[in-house]
Amino acid sequence: MAKTSVANNVTRSNRKWIIGYSITGFILFITYQFLIPWEGLPLGIYDAVYRWMPPSAINESLVYVIMALGLNIVVGYAGLLDLGYVAFWAIGGYCAGWFMSEFFYFLNINFFGSVPAEAPGIHINFWMVLLLGGFICAFFGVLIGAPTLRLKSDYLALVTLGFGEIIPQVFFNGENFFGFNISNGTKGIVGVDPIPVGVKDLGPFDFGWKLLIFLLLTAIMVFVSLRLRKGRLGRAWLAIREDELAASMMGVPLMRTKLASYAVGAFAGGLGGVAFATHVNGVYAERFNFTISIFLLAMVVLGGMGNVWGVILGAFILSWVNGNGLTAFGQLYNEQFGTEVDFASFTFLLFGLVLILMMLFKREGLLPESRLKLMLHEDELDDEDASTSKKKVGK
């Protein structure tokens, strides 16, 4: 009876969050697609929106949300510490560069692409490249996971850290990869195909419609995360996260279950990589560095590991502060007080302080998962129970 009541509460809570997400997404889309381009909008509102929440920053935040939701499956659900998640972002991004541009100019392949058929290069439809990038990343997730997931905690973190360093370096020096140019090195791959949506093709400055696409991709990741969390595989991930030995004794196949989490998480990395390439209209090797992996992990920790809505909140907060919020606050502060403080340079100092404070006072994150919250506060609850029992005995 109690179990059914808890399940109903979770369902009601998820329903409220889904409604809130849909309303927020609808308001953002109307604002950026119709309201901002309207010439009758008062200049003050226009300036405020572009200072505090420009459309490019919102779109980039959504890409970070997609990536953080993927990492949450690996870290938050299965409890596998992954410090190299940026590698999947890079692979996904280069999938967009390879299959949606003129990079391979000596070929002429066009499969439902959004450019003329005679255009040189490989031009595959954006929606197919999304799946292609996701599956290629999932393959690499299984490839790297198979020999390493027998490791635990710190050792696994070190191996994934190495993977996250190696893959971006391969692309960074990929101008001559065994005689082939696979990435154009530091110059990157500039210009990817527009996104076809039927009535028009979305270029790099169609922020409003791209916002809708990124919202859709985020909604798909939310749906997948919630469904997996509720199913048998999700319960197996939680069992491994909480006690790997007990899970194996209960018949959970450890390797297969861990590999599944890596594959699903990597698939999300591929989606995010392709989406990001269309957002910045290119792929640039210097964007895929170690700090991105830590940044994504901080989003998961801040929001609440294992809680989809918490991770979305954490990703939005950190990506907004990093991308635009701190700079906008600095401009306002300098205008008000006549100073020239470079607030953007304090970004990582601020993030470090936030993480320290979170670990000291709210380890479970802003919106914690109920199971994880109980685990982290198990000792405090035991002390409370013991104290209550003593009082009853005293009476």
Side-chain angles (χ1 to χ4, degrees):
M1 188 71 177
K3 193 175 178 182
T4 308
S5 176
V6 170
N8 289 338
N9 288 337
V10 172
T11 305
R12 277 197 296 272
S13 174
N14 283 335
R15 194 176 296 136
K16 288 178 183 174
W17 278 104
I18 290 169
I19 293 171
Y21 174 82
S22 304
I23 293 173
T24 306
F26 179 74
I27 292 172
L28 286 174
F29 173 66
I30 294 296
T31 302
Y32 290 112
Q33 180 59 33
F34 300 107
L35 195 59
I36 296 299
W38 181 43
E39 293 181 355
L41 191 71
L43 193 60
I45 297 177
Y46 183 86
D47 289 342
V49 169
Y50 266 85
R51 168 178 280 194
W52 293 98
M53 296 184 73
S56 60
I58 299 298
N59 285 0
E60 188 161 324
S61 295
L62 282 171
V63 174
Y64 274 107
V65 168
I66 296 168
M67 308 291 293
L69 286 173
L71 184 61
N72 181 53
I73 289 174
V74 181
V75 179
Y77 284 2
L80 304 171
L81 185 54
D82 186 348
L83 296 180
Y85 196 73
V86 71
F88 301 121
W89 187 339
I91 294 171
Y94 275 97
C95 283
W98 292 330
F99 304 130
M100 291 176 61
S101 76
E102 297 182 357
F103 178 63
F104 294 113
Y105 60 91
F106 45 88
L107 298 174
N108 184 7
I109 300 173
N110 193 314
F111 193 73
F112 297 104
S114 55
V115 298
E118 62 272 16
I122 301 176
H123 303 280
I124 300 176
N125 188 283
F126 165 76
W127 303 100
M128 296 179 188
V129 174
L130 269 179
L131 292 177
L132 201 56
F135 281 117
I136 289 175
C137 284
F139 169 75
F140 274 96
V142 172
L143 195 67
I144 188 66
T148 60
L149 287 180
R150 295 183 191 281
L151 303 173
K152 296 180 182 176
S153 59
D154 301 347
Y155 300 103
L156 177 62
L158 286 173
V159 172
T160 54
L161 171 65
F163 176 65
E165 285 294 298
I166 290 169
I167 295 296
Q169 285 302 316
V170 168
F171 290 126
F172 199 78
N173 299 288
E175 211 163 2
N176 185 6
F177 186 76
F178 296 107
F180 294 96
N181 180 8
I182 61 168
S183 67
N184 224 15
T186 54
K187 294 188 285 295
I189 300 174
V190 182
V192 295
D193 295 346
I195 302 174
V197 291
V199 293
K200 65 178 295 189
D201 295 333
L202 305 181
F205 299 107
D206 289 312
F207 295 115
W209 289 109
K210 277 189 178 178
L211 172 76
L212 198 61
I213 290 174
F214 294 161
L215 282 169
L216 174 66
L217 294 178
T218 305
I220 291 171
M221 275 309 303
V222 169
F223 175 77
V224 170
S225 297
L226 291 178
R227 293 300 299 173
L228 285 175
R229 165 69 177 77
K230 198 175 179 181
R232 186 175 178 180
L233 183 58
R235 293 197 297 275
W237 284 337
L238 296 187
I240 290 175
R241 182 189 74 184
E242 291 168 13
D243 193 328
E244 189 172 319
L245 181 60
S248 68
M249 295 299 287
M250 294 296 289
V252 174
L254 296 182
M255 275 301 292
R256 201 167 63 198
T257 310
K258 287 181 180 180
L259 278 178
S261 76
Y262 244 62
V264 177
F267 188 92
L271 292 185
V274 174
F276 188 70
T278 59
H279 172 62
V280 299
N281 195 33
V283 194
Y284 309 98
E286 70 270 13
R287 298 293 297 264
F288 309 115
N289 52 52
F290 173 65
T291 55
I292 298 292
S293 292
I294 300 301
F295 194 41
L296 289 167
L297 186 62
M299 291 172 178
V300 176
V301 172
L302 176 69
M305 283 194 296
N307 187 332
V308 167
W309 308 108
V311 170
I312 291 176
L313 182 66
F316 254 116
I317 291 174
L318 288 189
S319 61
W320 176 76
V321 170
N322 181 57
N324 189 73
L326 204 57
T327 305
F329 175 77
Q331 288 174 355
L332 181 67
Y333 181 90
N334 289 329
E335 286 172 7
Q336 293 293 323
F337 298 101
T339 56
E340 294 182 358
V341 181
D342 183 11
F343 279 85
S345 63
F346 296 106
T347 303
F348 285 99
L349 174 65
L350 178 66
F351 288 168
L353 284 173
V354 169
L355 282 179
I356 290 171
L357 292 173
M358 290 294 297
M359 290 301 105
L360 287 175
F361 301 110
K362 201 167 176 59
R363 288 179 294 164
E364 64 271 19
L366 295 175
L367 292 175
E369 186 198 31
S370 54
R371 289 171 66 101
L372 194 61
K373 187 178 180 181
L374 283 175
M375 283 177 58
L376 291 174
H377 294 278
E378 193 174 9
D379 294 340
E380 297 167 21
L381 292 172
D382 288 343
D383 291 342
E384 285 180 14
D385 289 343
S387 175
T388 307
S389 300
K390 283 180 182 176
K391 285 179 183 177
K392 286 181 179 177
V393 171
K395 286 178 181 177

